[in-house]
Amino acid sequence: MSRWCACLTADDPAGQVAAMGGRPVPTRAGRHALGLLDGPGAAAGPYRVGDVYATGEVTLHNAPELRARLAAAGSTGAAGGGPVPTDCPDGELLLRAYVRFGAAGLAAADGMFALAIVEGDELVLVRDHMGARTLFHARAGTGDRAAWAASTSLRALQRWPALDTGLHLPAVRSFLTFAYLPGRETLLRGIHEVLPGRCVRLRPDGTSVEETYWEPAEVADERSAAEHARELRELLESATARRLPAAEPVGVLLSGGVDSSLVTALAAKLHDQAVRSYSISFGADAPNELAYSGLVAAHCHTEHQVLTVPGEAVAARLPETVALLDSPVGDPLTVPNLMLAEAVAADGMSVVLNGEGGDPVFGGPKNLPMLIHELHREESGADSRARAYVDSYRKCHSDLPVLLTPGVLAELAQARPVTDLLAPYLTQGRMTSLLNQLLHTNLRTKGAHHILTKVERITASQGLEGRAPLFDRAVVDHAFRVPPRLKLAGTSEKWILKEAVRDLLPPTIVDRPKSGMRVPVQQWLDGPLRELGHDLLLGGSARARGLFREDTIRSWLRREGTLLPRQGGKLWLVLTLELWLRSFEVGA
């Protein structure tokens, strides 16, 4: 199990890799070095095609198709690296596609990957289409003294001796607004995230060039609803089949909603091995959807397990869970997700499927407040939409004037507004339909920087691969060909998705409205997390960092200030942030 790091510098690149904790791997001599890091991940290499080297964390779901494309193109000679060996690992296959076809080769791939390529005097970074695997880079110095470092591990870059880093306050504001970081920024100053579907070229002179090799595009396709549903069903079956492990059982995380249920049903239909489904309970006194998940498990004949997650376990394991994440995610399901991953791994499986992706790709309830806003808004333009989008999150954004200390607010006064992270997606460009603009926003923000990031890091910590068929590239491409009226049909969300799988599931599952998993956050904060919350948020470390006003934190801990308290969710964000900053030893 490992991750990778890379350096481009005139100052002992292999030594810089070692200083980040990496074990340098053989490449040609020069200003570059690649290395493998201890830690949960799937990194391997080096791979070589001609004079091009790479290392990466690469899992391809369409390796046979990519191999066939290379063979058809005559992948021989220096440009193609010669015939493709039958046992060619996924990382080498992706590198061969890049060397032979350039960006088009990356676009043709389907999978989860973060790749570092030594090409000429450049260090080329590649992140997969959807953002299933994370990738970061940083620069130190300028001009002739410029140096670059990159890694799939934020901790590795934090250790890079050439980098003078620290807390990046605009990212603190973004996290408290969205409960994740929705773009290139990280909480560490000077370290940036490579966006999904991008190829970034880092050059010895300190400059960089970003190329987009894939981005979803709206396509007018006025075929009938039945034709769209039929094609979507074929794509869903193909996406699920490609993600099933060969000759071994597969796990499926089953909440009882339509998304996880359809993935469970397709896995049960298509897999020739056992399918084991897993659900969460928060105890007899907490709301749950076990009746629905149990109905689906019985309908699909899976081996079903319900994992009970007591608040005491959440309190005990929250710090270690937050520490697994390269960027914090303010999702109270992180500890339950880790415990589910442990249960799947304990059952001897290497792959666990999930139903993530249905909402951001096909139009879940997140879009309804925005559509209502569009009917009544007085201002035009993307900025108005972006402000409404931020407001719809209902996190801490409106509380920032009373939550952050005056000193922090003063430093943020000149920072670009958080709406700048959203406005590019909410203007007419690639997408003309408002619903498609919203789905594009959801896919490129929450999908890439919350959902997939959380799944990948938590499952990897247990030696698992978490795979999401609904984030399949072909499925997403098709979603943006489906007319908006077939995704949000009247008040029916994800209508075309439901129609595509209606025959697979009981009507009770397909037609019930989305309710979401109700997590007893306030009960945890009032009970087993009470002592931890007080100690962390009012302790010496938090006071020394000087981010939050103590009077506001005390008021929230006492549940004061509103008739319908939402402080539980807000406190969860602040607590998660404090735990993450402590884990990464980030001061003011």
Side-chain angles (χ1 to χ4, degrees), residues 386-408:
R387 288 194 298 273
Y389 191 98
V390 167
D391 291 341
S392 71
Y393 264 81
R394 302 177 69 189
K395 303 299 183 184
C396 290
H397 184 70
S398 62
D399 301 286
L400 294 179
V402 297
L403 175 60
L404 298 177
T405 60
V408 171

Side-chain angles (χ1 to χ4, degrees), residues 536-547 550:
L536 285 175
L537 300 181
L538 299 175
S541 178
R543 289 200 305 272
R545 196 174 291 112
L547 289 178
E550 187 174 331

Side-chain angles (χ1 to χ4, degrees), residues 370-426:
M370 287 294 296
L371 295 172
I372 294 171
H373 164 78
E374 195 71 12
L375 294 174
H376 302 287
R377 71 181 180 135
E378 297 178 356
E379 299 179 63
S380 61
D383 287 343
S384 173
R385 285 176 176 167
R387 288 194 298 273
Y389 191 98
V390 167
D391 291 341
S392 71
Y393 264 81
R394 302 177 69 189
K395 303 299 183 184
C396 290
H397 184 70
S398 62
D399 301 286
L400 294 179
V402 297
L403 175 60
L404 298 177
T405 60
V408 171
L409 291 172
E411 289 193 50
L412 289 172
Q414 301 304 315
R416 296 175 62 183
V418 293
T419 50
D420 283 5
L421 299 167
L422 308 170
Y425 303 107
L426 295 171

Side-chain angles (χ1 to χ4, degrees), residues 3-68:
R3 303 175 83 175
W4 62 257
C5 61
C7 274
L8 169 55
T9 175
D11 183 18
D12 185 18
Q16 299 289 320
V17 162
M20 288 192 287
R23 303 182 304 280
V25 298
T27 61
R28 60 178 169 80
R31 295 167 57 107
H32 306 82
L34 305 175
L36 298 178
L37 300 155
D38 291 332
Y47 309 112
R48 180 182 178 184
V49 178
D51 291 330
V52 181
Y53 292 80
T55 189
E57 298 185 44
V58 182
T59 300
L60 295 177
H61 302 315
N62 68 337
E65 293 92 331
L66 209 57
R67 191 188 309 273

Side-chain angles (χ1 to χ4, degrees), residues 233 240 250-279 291-304 353 501-507 509-510:
R233 172 61 170 273
T240 304
V250 68
V252 186
L253 304 184
L254 176 58
S255 69
V258 67
D259 302 336
S260 63
S261 297
L262 75 87
V263 170
T264 302
L266 287 173
K269 174 185 176 182
L270 300 171
H271 203 30
D272 59 0
Q273 301 287 321
V275 176
R276 297 172 181 165
S277 53
Y278 300 80
S279 298
Y292 295 110
S293 59
L295 174 63
V296 173
H299 181 80
C300 298
H301 306 290
T302 64
E303 301 174 23
H304 191 55
L353 304 183
V501 299
R502 184 169 291 279
D503 63 304
L504 285 174
L505 296 165
I509 300 298
V510 176

